[in-house]
Amino acid sequence: MMSQKVILQTLIIESIPDLDETSNMHYRSDFRMLKEHGGDTGYRLMKGYYDFSTYFNSCSFAKWEKYTAVKNVSLELDMKGTFCLNLMGHYIDKDHNIHKEWLGNYLFELEEREHIVLPYPEKMESEVVSFQIYATKDTEFYEGCYTAEVKEADLRDPFITLATTTFKKEKYVRKNVDLLNASIFADPELSRHFTWKIVDNGSTLEPEEYNNSYIEVIPNRNVGGSGGFCRGMIEALQQKKKPTHILLMDDDVYFMPESFRRLYQLLSLLKPEYDDYFISGAMLEINQRNIQHEDVGMFRLTGEHGPTKPRYDLNLWDSVIRNEEILEEDEHQYSGWWYCCIPTTIAREDNLPLPFFIRGDDVEYSIRNHAKFITMNGICIWHEGFGTKFSGSMELYQVHRNDLILQTMNKHISDITVIERIRKLFWEEIFKFNYKGCNLLLDAIEDFLKGPEFIKNLDGEACMKQKKAEDNQLQPITDDIRPFIDYANLYSSAPLSGWKLKMYGHFVNGHKLPESFAGKGVTSIPYGWGYSQQKLYKAGTVYAVDPVNDLYVKYTRDRQQYAKTVSRYENLMKRYDAEYEQVAKAFQAEEKMMEGKPFWMEYLK
């Protein structure tokens, strides 16, 4: 049977201008690889070591071997000069220790530009392979890639529709359209495998400015992320040429075109047993571009959402290796829709997202479909980190309302204690004197108890505006406020113990004490997540601070608000216990209808 050579990964030396702080994710050296413009010139290498065991330029050998039909991986380079080249690899043992393998050592003296092919051994322990160059004199690097062989019968023909939801983010959309037009859509071969649907929830883009043979802007009413992505799915599935995959991607992201090339290569070589897997692109942080926030998320048993992996620094070689470890599959995992490629065997007109407006739609969709995931170094985007944009109306109301629905509709994750998470957060916010935050949590429960008719007929945009108005309104930190803020210890979260803890809990941080005995101290805490008993103990005034944006909100103990809020909490929890089963059955009865195209066509107007 005939075989042919395929490119797995192209080596990339330079970042795009918006990502020029990521050079150590391409290669590590004491020297820069510099290129003269014009002519057939390569990147000049100063005398010294250049290590390519990096996020973008190592090769995920174990994953290519597991998920695809390729054999005989090689490194191919166009080089000139005198240099040593070491093939190397790394693997992780059962005790999670990293080991290095030396897989080949070569000396080259090339007077002219030459193409060299260096095969990796067929039998090796290494899960991630790479190489090092030691340049001695007059060394130039022109281009390179990792290649492999595949039987022609094993080649696939993926057709990918990228679906993006945008709302008044013209700057990002224009930049990303220009980038894909100049790279993916300018490539005669690759362009045959991609189209892009840009769903404009703000109706502020001019379609004629963006539309071409590959890109279509679709004006849409503001139905949030879930409605926008659903519209993108429907439009993709109605194309004359039906896609094999739909790639959901946020609008306000930075990316490298190589991520799309690697996605295409992966899908074109995929073994049939992995046809239903999601390709989950990593989210790297735009403000710390070497830090990975998440590639696969976990809906934890405690009701929290978070990354499955640690917060890896991808400038470090060991983080690059550990990031490629193939993790055990778990039915609580999900893929964020900042970059998530879903096969159309799953993304169908009878299996659309739920109308959550925003937050949790990606979590629910993954969990509902028992999704399994493939991740790979270099398939990623950069996005603003969530820690710098906490919103009570979003995190306390929207997330928990949707999580209650999500869990109710997916019985196989009934072990997740969403309601206990809400109880815990409620009391933490009470101890902070954040009564508005407490009431947003209670709104989440109350609206959940209204059942599926409430969600089906909800104006999500109006709801979010209302919740934002009911949330705390942050103010700029002024000089008279700054002395009250302990920036050095702002994120301290030390607990209390002994009699102090008993006093703190029994009197609910002074709420149950006479005014003359209640604490009157002033303290500062982070706005949003975070809870410190020691800092709150005996406080009467709390400054909740957003140091990134230089904003704050002031919380003050208020016994009247406390009594009113706790009374509402106790009554609502009794309602929840009494009505949950009935509400759950109502949601489950409406599930298939809300996931279908007829419902969504009416919802989208």
Side-chain angles (χ1 to χ4, degrees):
M1 187 175 292
M2 293 291 291
S3 294
Q4 70 178 61
K5 183 173 73 174
V6 292
I7 295 174
L8 303 182
Q9 299 174 203
T10 300
L11 300 176
I12 45 177
I13 305 305
E14 291 183 291
S15 306
I16 63 173
D18 290 319
L19 301 170
D20 56 6
E21 299 168 18
T22 63
S23 57
N24 286 338
M25 295 165 65
H26 298 262
Y27 64 93
R28 283 184 294 274
S29 177
D30 290 335
F31 310 99
R32 295 292 86 183
M33 295 172 65
L34 302 176
K35 185 173 185 178
E36 296 179 10
H37 295 287
D40 184 26
T41 60
Y43 294 91
R44 296 189 62 83
L45 278 66
M46 303 288 288
K47 182 177 180 180
Y49 274 106
Y50 297 81
D51 184 1
F52 294 83
S53 305
T54 58
Y55 181 72
F56 283 110
N57 286 330
S58 60
C59 178
S60 308
F61 176 81
K63 290 185 176 179
W64 286 110
E65 185 177 56
K66 176 181 173 68
Y67 298 120
T68 75
V70 302
K71 303 290 183 185
N72 303 325
V73 174
S74 297
L75 173 69
E76 301 197 18
L77 303 172
D78 278 19
M79 298 283 294
K80 173 185 173 183
T82 303
F83 58 95
C84 294
L85 192 148
N86 299 318
L87 295 184
M88 56 190 292
H90 295 87
Y91 65 93
I92 302 174
D93 66 22
K94 62 180 180 180
D95 297 318
H96 302 286
N97 298 312
I98 298 178
H99 299 272
K100 181 179 292 186
E101 274 190 300
W102 295 105
L103 304 170
N105 180 264
Y106 306 88
L107 174 63
F108 292 95
E109 295 178 330
L110 308 176
E111 294 185 1
E112 301 294 333
R113 174 177 176 172
E114 289 191 25
H115 184 76
I116 56 178
V117 180
L118 304 172
Y120 287 90
E122 290 187 30
K123 301 293 184 182
M124 58 181 172
E125 296 283 343
S126 291
E127 297 160 324
V128 179
V129 297
S130 58
F131 64 101
Q132 290 179 338
I133 293 174
Y134 181 74
T136 56
K137 62 179 181 179
D138 299 328
T139 301
E140 290 190 36
F141 174 102
Y142 293 89
E143 59 184 2
C145 60
Y146 294 97
T147 64
E149 294 178 2
V150 63
K151 295 176 182 177
E152 290 184 356
D154 290 329
L155 284 168
R156 319 295 292 276
D157 187 28
F159 183 58
I160 305 158
T161 293
L162 171 60
T164 293
T165 301
T166 187
F167 184 77
K168 300 182 180 179
K169 296 283 180 65
E170 284 84 353
K171 181 185 78 169
Y172 285 97
V173 172
R174 178 77 270 170
K175 172 183 62 63
N176 289 336
V177 164
D178 289 345
L179 185 55
L180 282 190
N181 275 335
S183 54
I184 303 303
F185 298 134
D187 184 321
E189 171 58 28
L190 207 55
S191 62
R192 296 192 303 107
H193 301 277
F194 283 92
T195 57
W196 190 3
K197 305 294 184 185
I198 302 173
V199 179
D200 180 15
N201 277 359
S203 296
T204 55
L205 300 178
E206 296 294 338
E208 59 272 15
E209 183 182 348
Y210 299 92
N211 289 358
N212 57 33
S213 302
Y214 309 103
I215 299 172
E216 181 184 8
V217 171
I218 302 164
N220 201 42
R221 73 187 187 93
N222 188 13
V223 285
S226 59
F229 282 124
C230 185
R231 178 75 186 273
M233 285 185 183
I234 292 171
E235 295 286 346
L237 294 170
Q238 290 179 342
Q239 290 176 140
K240 184 175 181 180
K241 183 177 180 181
K242 183 179 177 182
T244 59
H245 297 79
I246 298 174
L247 172 58
L248 304 178
M249 186 180 79
D250 271 343
D251 56 345
D252 53 345
V253 300
Y254 292 89
F255 58 77
M256 287 192 172
E258 178 66 14
S259 292
F260 293 87
R261 295 190 188 98
R262 292 185 188 182
L263 173 67
Y264 164 74
Q265 287 301 112
L266 180 60
L267 295 177
S268 68
L269 300 166
L270 207 61
K271 293 176 182 176
E273 57 261 42
Y274 299 106
D275 277 355
D276 288 339
Y277 276 56
F278 291 24
I279 312 301
S280 185
M283 173 186 152
L284 279 56
E285 296 190 4
I286 196 66
N287 296 319
Q288 293 180 280
R289 298 183 179 183
N290 53 305
I291 301 299
Q292 178 174 283
H293 170 74
E294 179 177 302
D295 59 2
V296 173
M298 178 75 75
F299 195 6
R300 307 189 194 285
L301 298 182
T302 54
E304 299 168 280
H305 300 198
T308 301
K309 297 175 182 177
R311 194 167 174 265
Y312 284 131
D313 179 350
L314 298 175
N315 276 341
L316 306 178
W317 70 269
D318 55 336
S319 290
V320 171
I321 310 307
R322 294 195 185 282
N323 197 44
E324 284 300 78
E325 190 173 6
I326 299 174
L327 301 179
E328 184 178 347
E329 293 170 354
D330 190 300
E331 61 186 4
H332 299 86
Q333 292 175 339
Y334 61 87
S335 176
W337 285 356
W338 44 72
Y339 190 106
C340 175
C341 185
I342 305 173
T344 50
T345 52
I346 292 173
R348 308 182 309 269
E349 291 183 346
D350 64 343
N351 189 36
L352 298 169
L354 289 177
F356 280 174
F357 190 76
I358 194 168
R359 298 302 291 272
D361 44 358
D362 47 6
V363 180
E364 192 280 332
Y365 198 80
S366 291
I367 288 174
R368 180 208 313 170
N369 288 289
H370 305 275
K372 297 177 181 179
F373 308 98
I374 298 172
T375 64
M376 189 173 284
N377 280 343
I379 298 181
C380 66
I381 54 87
W382 283 263
H383 195 287
E384 185 179 349
F386 296 116
T388 61
K389 51 181 182 181
F390 181 91
S391 161
S393 58
M394 190 77 72
E395 303 294 345
L396 300 178
Y397 170 75
Q398 193 82 11
V399 167
H400 291 95
R401 183 200 71 190
N402 292 345
D403 279 353
L404 286 167
I405 300 170
L406 184 168
Q407 183 192 39
T408 296
M409 286 189 165
N410 295 279
K411 294 180 180 179
H412 61 287
I413 59 161
S414 58
D415 51 353
I416 295 177
T417 53
V418 175
I419 195 65
E420 294 306 318
R421 162 80 169 163
I422 295 174
R423 290 180 193 270
K424 175 178 177 288
L425 287 176
F426 175 86
W427 287 106
E428 287 183 358
E429 299 307 311
I430 281 287
F431 280 87
K432 295 178 187 177
F433 318 139
N434 180 15
Y435 310 110
K436 289 184 177 181
C438 291
N439 279 291
L440 288 169
L441 284 166
L442 299 182
D443 289 347
I445 301 172
E446 192 167 66
D447 286 352
F448 164 73
L449 292 176
K450 293 174 183 176
E453 290 303 315
F454 173 77
I455 295 296
K456 285 160 53 179
N457 296 292
L458 181 65
D459 182 334
E461 184 176 23
C463 177
M464 285 308 299
K465 286 180 179 178
Q466 178 187 343
K467 298 307 172 189
K468 285 181 180 179
E470 294 170 0
D471 195 3
N472 295 291
Q473 306 302 312
L474 276 74
Q475 304 295 324
I477 298 174
T478 54
D479 290 341
D480 58 323
I481 298 297
R482 214 171 292 280
F484 296 111
I485 301 172
D486 182 4
Y487 286 98
N489 299 300
L490 189 64
Y491 291 95
S492 169
S493 58
L496 291 169
S497 60
W499 66 268
K500 287 185 178 180
L501 178 60
K502 291 180 180 178
M503 292 282 289
Y504 177 79
H506 182 74
F507 295 110
V508 196
N509 200 16
H511 281 110
K512 291 185 175 182
L513 282 171
E515 185 62 36
S516 56
F517 288 94
K520 295 180 175 59
V522 177
T523 191
S524 57
I525 62 172
Y527 177 66
W529 305 124
Y531 175 65
S532 174
Q533 293 174 339
Q534 277 196 8
K535 297 182 81 172
L536 294 169
Y537 178 62
K538 285 193 172 183
T541 300
V542 177
Y543 289 95
V545 180
D546 172 0
V548 175
N549 299 300
D550 206 33
L551 301 171
Y552 83 100
V553 64
K554 181 180 177 181
Y555 304 144
T556 306
R557 186 190 300 108
D558 185 323
R559 287 174 178 75
Q560 187 176 359
Q561 282 293 331
Y562 164 78
K564 184 178 177 181
T565 304
V566 171
S567 175
R568 184 187 177 205
Y569 167 82
E570 291 171 347
N571 290 331
L572 198 51
M573 286 303 174
K574 289 176 184 176
R575 271 192 61 200
Y576 178 87
D577 292 339
E579 299 174 18
Y580 176 79
E581 290 300 328
Q582 180 182 351
V583 172
K585 288 178 182 177
F587 270 112
Q588 290 158 13
E590 296 286 303
E591 177 181 1
K592 287 300 178 186
M593 185 274 292
M594 286 195 286
E595 295 165 3
K597 180 181 174 183
F599 163 77
W600 272 103
M601 295 300 284
E602 173 63 26
Y603 186 87
L604 294 168
K605 305 297 183 196

